[in-house]
Amino acid sequence: MSPLLAKQKTPSDEATVQVHALSAGHLTLPERYFVHPASQTARRTVPSLAFLIQHRSVTGEVTRIVFDLGLRRKLERYSEPIRRHAATREPLTTDPDVVKSLAAGGLIPDDIDYVIYSHVHWDHVGEPGDFPQSTFVVGNGALNLLRGGSDSLHGSHSFFEADLLPPTRTIELSNPDLATNAGSSRSGNSKPGEPDFHQPWKTHGDLPRVIDLFRDGSLYIVDAPGHLPGHINLLARTGLKKFVYLAGDACHDRRIMRKQKEIGEWRDSEGHICCIHADRTLAEKTIERIRELERKGVEIIFAHDFEWEEDPSNAARFWGPRL
């Protein structure tokens, strides 16, 4: 049994969060860029899921987090290189977006305390300007990408916007590879139940680097390297011995999880070998850790998880009436 599920019960084991899916657009993926082997013409329309996580502290205070914002409502609001790439992902829809999906359950952007990005690819960042009161949280290395600090990424999906996030309302997590990192050695909050993004990364069960965000075992930020610098996942406890793992773009197709397919690669116009993952070796290690969690009873949901979305039993897990 997984250490996540088998550890001795403590008072904090009662702490849980509510997790609801949010519709945040759909796009169409050419399979050859994501899985191997694949037909040159095979295409699949997939969601770009976002999630609403709600945590109630022992004092009754509710913290609301949105994990990813999906597709931007107005494509013309993307930079020109991203718009050109988005044109290759048709059919593409942006209605409903995250704001409309939140409204279906009675929430507005000002109700959201934090927006946590799994990573900063265009189909996950949405429209940050819709959330003028929220604090944005990104994994370590994401801000460098936004500033154009990496020249090793290839492919038309590897464009980023330097002005994406408001500097005064953005937290970049500390480097999980540096155990003695000054940023990770400090803690901004001392009360269990309050979010603390500045605490050290620690080992938790099968996961080598996590942050116990509320320090009550209800929600963990998980270092999930491979897809893109700063790629992070969330592990949420939603009930007694019940966990949901929000896996972002750690994997784009469950056939890879089932070992029916491999991760795809292709050559760009300049002859570079490209992969949807910045570091394929690290991505495969992350996928194997996720496989192990799934084998031990943790529910896994990927950002582009069309199998999960199409399962009728999951319709009630969206926030508000299904749009």
Side-chain angles (χ1 to χ4, degrees), residues 214-230:
F214 294 96
R215 290 188 296 145
D216 60 5
S218 64
L219 185 67
Y220 297 89
I221 298 176
V222 182
D223 179 40
H227 178 61
L228 198 70

Side-chain angles (χ1 to χ4, degrees), residues 25 27 52 82-83 194 196 259 306:
L27 68 163
L52 170 68
I82 294 176
R83 291 200 304 271
E194 293 182 354
D196 184 353
K259 299 187 177 181
F306 64 88

Side-chain angles (χ1 to χ4, degrees), residues 3-15 237 240-241:
L4 289 171
L5 307 179
K7 66 179 184 177
Q8 185 175 1
K9 188 175 180 180
T10 67
S12 67
D13 288 336
E14 302 294 336
R237 182 167 56 206
L240 182 63
K241 297 185 179 180

Side-chain angles (χ1 to χ4, degrees), residues 147-159:
R147 291 190 294 261
S150 176
D151 57 5
S152 62
L153 299 176
H154 302 289
S156 63
H157 62 289
S158 297
F159 289 100

Side-chain angles (χ1 to χ4, degrees), residues 29-305:
L29 304 181
E31 288 196 358
R32 67 185 184 276
Y33 296 142
F34 296 89
V35 299
H36 175 80
S39 158
Q40 290 294 303
T41 58
R43 297 171 67 84
R44 166 71 71 167
T45 298
V46 303
S48 190
L49 294 170
F51 296 89
L52 170 68
I53 298 103
Q54 299 184 92
H55 174 276
R56 186 179 297 275
S57 73
V58 293
T59 61
E61 182 178 358
V62 177
T63 300
R64 294 187 176 95
I65 295 168
V66 169
F67 185 54
D68 280 346
L69 296 182
L71 295 172
R72 192 163 293 175
R73 178 173 59 256
K74 295 182 178 180
L75 296 182
E76 60 268 26
R77 289 273 301 134
Y78 285 116
S79 65
E80 184 177 350
I82 294 176
R83 291 200 304 271
R84 289 197 302 267
H85 175 74
T88 71
R89 298 298 183 252
E90 296 284 356
L92 181 154
T93 61
T94 64
D95 185 16
D97 66 346
V98 163
V99 172
K100 191 171 182 179
S101 294
L102 286 170
L107 293 178
I108 62 173
D110 286 359
D111 294 320
I112 305 305
D113 300 292
Y114 298 94
V115 173
I116 300 179
Y117 281 141
S118 64
H119 63 297
V120 291
H121 271 147
W122 69 282
D123 54 328
H124 296 260
V125 298
E127 185 62 84
D130 287 337
F131 294 82
Q133 304 299 320
S134 304
T135 296
F136 291 82
V137 181
V138 295
N140 190 264
L143 295 185
N144 185 55
L145 279 180
L146 295 178
R147 291 190 294 261
S150 176
D151 57 5
S152 62
L153 299 176
H154 302 289
S156 63
H157 62 289
S158 297
F159 289 100
F160 307 96
E161 297 168 321
D163 61 349
L164 179 72
L165 297 174
T168 60
R169 290 187 287 115
T170 298
I171 296 171
E172 183 176 39
L173 301 177
S174 64
N175 189 341
D177 292 326
L178 302 178
T180 59
N181 182 279
S184 66
S185 64
R186 62 190 176 90
S187 179
N189 296 302
S190 58
K191 297 180 181 179
E194 293 182 354
D196 184 353
F197 296 95
H198 302 293
Q199 58 188 291
W201 294 87
K202 298 179 180 179
T203 299
H204 178 65
D206 300 313
L207 301 171
R209 290 171 297 200
V210 307
I211 290 173
D212 182 356
L213 184 56
F214 294 96
R215 290 188 296 145
D216 60 5
S218 64
L219 185 67
Y220 297 89
I221 298 176
V222 182
D223 179 40
H227 178 61
L228 198 70
H231 187 252
I232 53 177
N233 296 167
L234 296 182
L235 174 67
R237 182 167 56 206
T238 57
L240 182 63
K241 297 185 179 180
K242 186 175 182 180
F243 292 85
V244 176
Y245 187 92
L246 306 179
D249 275 6
C251 183
H252 294 77
D253 194 305
R254 284 191 176 271
R255 290 174 295 180
I256 295 173
M257 281 282 286
R258 295 191 289 262
K259 299 187 177 181
Q260 297 168 339
K261 298 279 188 177
E262 297 179 357
I263 294 170
E265 292 182 338
W266 72 95
R267 287 188 181 273
D268 67 10
S269 59
E270 299 177 353
H272 297 115
I273 296 177
C274 300
C275 180
I276 200 65
H277 299 294
D279 188 320
R280 177 174 176 167
T281 299
L282 280 178
E284 288 173 337
K285 291 179 180 178
T286 292
I287 289 170
E288 184 52 43
R289 280 196 290 269
I290 295 172
R291 281 196 194 103
E292 186 64 20
L293 290 176
E294 188 171 56
R295 282 193 290 266
K296 294 175 177 178
V298 176
E299 181 184 20
I300 310 298
I301 311 174
F302 298 102
H304 303 301
D305 205 331

